[in-house]
Amino acid sequence: MKTRRTLVTAVAALTASALLGGCGDGDVQETVGSKNRKNAINIGPDQHRIRGKKVESIAAKVPAAIRERGTLRIGGSADAAAPLGFYATDDKTRIGSEIDIATLVADTLGLKVDFQAVSWENLFVGLDSSKFDAVFSNVTVTEERKEKYDFATYRLDDLAFEAKKGTSWRVRGPKDVAGKTISVSSGTNQEKILVDWSKENEKAGRKPVNIKYFQKDTDYYLALQSGRIDAYFGPHPTSAYHVASTGQTQIIGRFSGGGDQVQGKIAATTKKGSGLVDAYAAAIDHVIEDGSYAKVLKRWGLSSEAVKKSEINPPGLPKP
């Protein structure tokens, strides 16, 4: 699944005066969300990240050439949206849940993170050319991708319907979106699900879904607030962040990124045969066990997407 970075721009442009604040304790310096500092989300450049410690037995699983180099070259999408990967308030420091989890893994492996933000398609080009040792960027495990890459899972892949705050409408299945106007990003898993549901509604004699496409997240946000659309169907992490940071919308339905066929899963991605996937899985299991993983997810409001253990190359989304 891919997302765009512009959601954080929408939040900043439309609600910055209400959301940005300062704290003097060095823990939360610039925040969005609740004015209660306990629940606020730090979006400043000084992140005070949760860090891990090297585990020799796990670090030994890393190929010798990478151990000698001392760095783990990690790719992330420059187009990702908050809270996955985005720029802090200084417009140059890359922050987010994916960066935090990748850092924990690198710490466990005794390696320094060399993080590079590139376009979505160049993440895979970077893996193919061995420019990157891993990609941590909301990459969903699919059967097609498994032909070229190895995966170590670290989060569930869930989607969400987001609507204006206060609506009593809920989405539990196809009939709940019949006749509704819903926006979705083109070429995504959620678009396929919505199109399939619309066809199912027509076959059942119900109204189809009026699907709207917008080029920018700012556009769907404005359309939602003005009532031009009833809901937006997108990645759960970005919707959850949007809900928490603006206070103007709510999640009215949540589904697996794999639809009703398989539970979608997000994974650390590496070139097939790189010799790294076992090390990634072991490192993820370690940070799950020591509690640092849970702290990172809680920090970004993603606790509900936690996994109990990392799986190597589990069943992925089926081929089209």
Side-chain angles (χ1 to χ4, degrees), residues 15-29:
T15 60
S17 62
L19 300 178
L20 295 178
C23 299
D25 64 355
D27 182 33
V28 179
Q29 298 179 359

Side-chain angles (χ1 to χ4, degrees), residues 17 28 32 38 43 83 108 110 115 131 162 168 181 222 275 318:
S17 62
V28 179
V32 296
K38 182 179 179 181
I43 60 171
T108 305
F115 188 85
K131 177 182 179 180
E162 184 180 358
S168 59
T181 300
L222 291 171

